[in-house]
Amino acid sequence: MIRVKEITKETYFCDEAVGKIGKEEIDFLKAQVPHNPRARARMCFHNDTNAALQEMFVVYVPETYNRPNKHQAESLHILEGAADFVFFDENGKVTQVLPLGDRASGKQFYCRIPEQVYHTLFIRSKEIVIHEARLGPFQKADTIFAPWALEEGTPQVDTWLADLEKTLAAKFTSDLTASKRPLIRLKSTSPEVYMADELVVNIGPAEVDFLKMNVSKTARKRIRICAHENSESEMHEMYMIFPQRSYMRPSRHTIDESLHLIEGSATYVFFNNDGKITEVVRLGGDRPDRKLYCRVPAGHYHTLIIHSEQLVFRQTTTGPFNKADTSYAPWAPTEDDPKVGDEWLRQLEAKIRSM
């Protein structure tokens, strides 16, 4: 398991330069929940509360009460379990209910929450594991709790929630019982790039199928759906497909980014400024050392070796998009000649095997 720092019995911070999470870390979080009065636990992968991109993996149980609140844009991706995401207007009237679940559930597994919209979460499984992303720095004052919702710890919370459940059952039955959601509205900006055109962006089986059906039509066999509004957005999130053995010239950025694996297997390789390998992170598979998420810190050269036929993944970083944020390693070939890139990857794989 990775090194972590305990901040409270509820909150832990990754204590490694390259953050990553897999089954070991998730099991650790699950084990902490029964010891926490608020019935939750989280592991944060940003350096501190001042970080521009804040990402955490959180475990909730049905007893967890999330008082309706609003704040700047954030998102969540369900790894395990199921929940109903409920949105309200300013007066507490329910405006939308979005059932969410893990990949095995067939439900939407990702939701991007619009800024300043009241929302809460109903847990529908024994426990739920969530990857949450939002902009920093963290300020308590940025979160506004709904004045019409009971405070945490109030004895009448259970009654309030029961009444809300009745409202959902009476007015949103079709949303709650829909077996499959249609493809969200998308705008194409290029053969490789589609922008989500919804207020509440959500990703699930239909969107992944869309990417798989259209990736072969692109010249580089790469494709993405962007959940952010445009290139000027402050938080960028993309669901992407890349083909096996895509050569990505090692690069580094002035900002942090992360990769969350959806399907496939790959190896993240990190280098120092001279091209020497400093760390290898294996993604995908059932072995204890395999991870499903990796946070790439600013200033670290890195590349990705894709082993599976396709790699489906989510990438998260801060915006607005600026080409100047990325610099390429002078000791690695350009992407102009695929054969040269493929040979460089083969040599890199041989170095990794010899380590």
Side-chain angles (χ1 to χ4, degrees):
M1 184 174 131
I2 63 170
R3 295 190 309 274
V4 296
K5 293 184 294 186
E6 180 181 311
I7 307 303
T8 68
K9 291 298 181 183
E10 178 183 322
T11 303
Y12 299 82
F13 269 74
C14 169
D15 192 25
E16 298 190 3
V18 177
K20 54 263 185 190
I21 194 169
K23 186 177 185 303
E24 284 183 304
E25 291 77 23
I26 290 173
D27 287 346
F28 169 82
L29 281 179
K30 290 178 179 178
Q32 309 314 308
V33 174
H35 308 297
N36 193 308
R38 300 181 69 226
R40 66 194 74 190
R42 71 187 63 220
M43 189 178 291
C44 300
F45 286 85
H46 41 285
N47 288 336
D48 53 48
T49 57
N50 292 316
L53 176 62
Q54 313 237 331
E55 291 184 285
M56 59 211 80
F57 285 77
V58 189
V59 177
Y60 293 137
V61 293
E63 295 76 27
T64 309
Y65 172 53
N66 286 285
R67 184 183 178 188
N69 62 86
K70 62 181 182 179
H71 42 68
Q72 59 190 340
E74 72 170 359
S75 70
L76 57 86
H77 179 122
I78 309 294
L79 284 79
E80 297 180 22
D84 292 334
F85 217 95
V86 184
F87 296 91
F88 308 85
D89 67 14
E90 290 293 308
N91 299 314
K93 181 181 178 180
V94 178
T95 58
Q96 184 176 351
V97 180
L98 179 63
L100 298 170
D102 53 34
R103 289 296 309 282
S105 72
K107 298 179 179 180
Q108 303 298 92
F109 50 79
Y110 164 90
C111 174
R112 183 163 170 128
I113 302 137
E115 291 188 19
Q116 304 307 321
V117 175
Y118 283 119
H119 58 275
T120 191
L121 196 65
F122 274 89
I123 313 303
R124 302 301 191 192
S125 52
K126 182 181 71 172
E127 58 195 359
I128 190 169
V129 183
I130 298 170
H131 173 192
E132 182 179 314
R134 63 185 299 175
L135 290 169
F138 172 74
Q139 300 281 353
K140 283 188 176 181
D142 290 340
T143 299
I144 301 171
F145 290 100
W148 37 261
L150 295 177
E151 292 185 18
E152 193 174 326
T154 304
Q156 294 82 14
V157 162
D158 289 344
T159 302
W160 186 85
L161 289 173
D163 290 340
L164 180 56
E165 286 271 29
K166 291 177 183 177
T167 299
L168 301 184
K171 298 183 179 181
F172 294 89
T173 302
S174 59
D175 289 338
L176 294 170
T177 58
S179 58
K180 188 175 182 180
R181 293 183 65 88
L183 181 69
I184 61 172
R185 292 191 305 273
L186 299 170
K187 295 184 297 185
S188 175
T189 59
S190 78
E192 284 190 13
V193 180
Y194 291 82
M195 308 297 294
D197 189 23
E198 306 264 355
L199 175 62
V200 178
V201 178
N202 51 97
I203 303 291
E207 289 69 36
V208 173
D209 288 346
F210 172 85
L211 291 174
K212 289 180 176 179
M213 285 189 295
N214 288 280
V215 67
S216 62
K217 302 174 186 177
T218 67
R220 297 194 301 166
K221 303 298 181 285
R222 302 179 184 183
I223 196 169
R224 70 187 66 195
I225 291 175
C226 298
H228 49 282
E229 186 175 357
N230 54 52
S231 61
E232 296 299 311
S233 299
E234 292 184 275
M235 185 169 74
H236 287 210
E237 294 181 288
M238 298 150 280
Y239 281 82
M240 311 167 73
I241 294 183
F242 276 29
Q244 188 177 42
R245 302 198 65 77
S246 291
Y247 171 61
M248 286 160 272
R249 185 181 182 185
S251 62
R252 62 184 178 183
H253 314 293
T254 60
I255 54 178
D256 286 7
E257 70 175 11
S258 71
L259 181 150
H260 178 150
L261 184 71
I262 311 300
E263 288 182 19
S265 60
T267 300
Y268 243 133
V269 189
F270 293 85
F271 310 85
N272 65 13
N273 290 344
D274 299 319
K276 182 180 179 181
I277 297 172
T278 57
E279 186 164 357
V280 174
V281 180
R282 302 185 189 280
L283 302 166
D286 298 326
R287 285 172 41 180
D289 64 330
R290 299 302 170 100
K291 305 300 181 183
L292 57 87
Y293 162 92
C294 183
R295 173 111 170 187
V296 181
H300 287 237
Y301 281 119
H302 60 279
T303 191
L304 190 66
I305 304 172
I306 300 175
H307 307 300
S308 50
E309 183 178 349
Q310 290 182 331
L311 192 73
V312 185
F313 60 99
R314 165 189 165 187
Q315 186 179 68
T316 305
T317 189
T318 51
F321 173 73
N322 186 347
K323 284 186 177 181
D325 288 335
T326 300
S327 58
Y328 292 94
W331 35 262
T334 67
E335 298 181 13
D336 297 333
D337 189 334
K339 290 183 179 180
V340 173
D342 188 66
E343 178 57 30
W344 191 87
L345 282 179
R346 292 183 188 281
Q347 294 177 15
L348 178 60
E349 288 175 312
K351 290 180 183 177
I352 294 171
R353 286 194 297 270
S354 68
M355 290 174 64

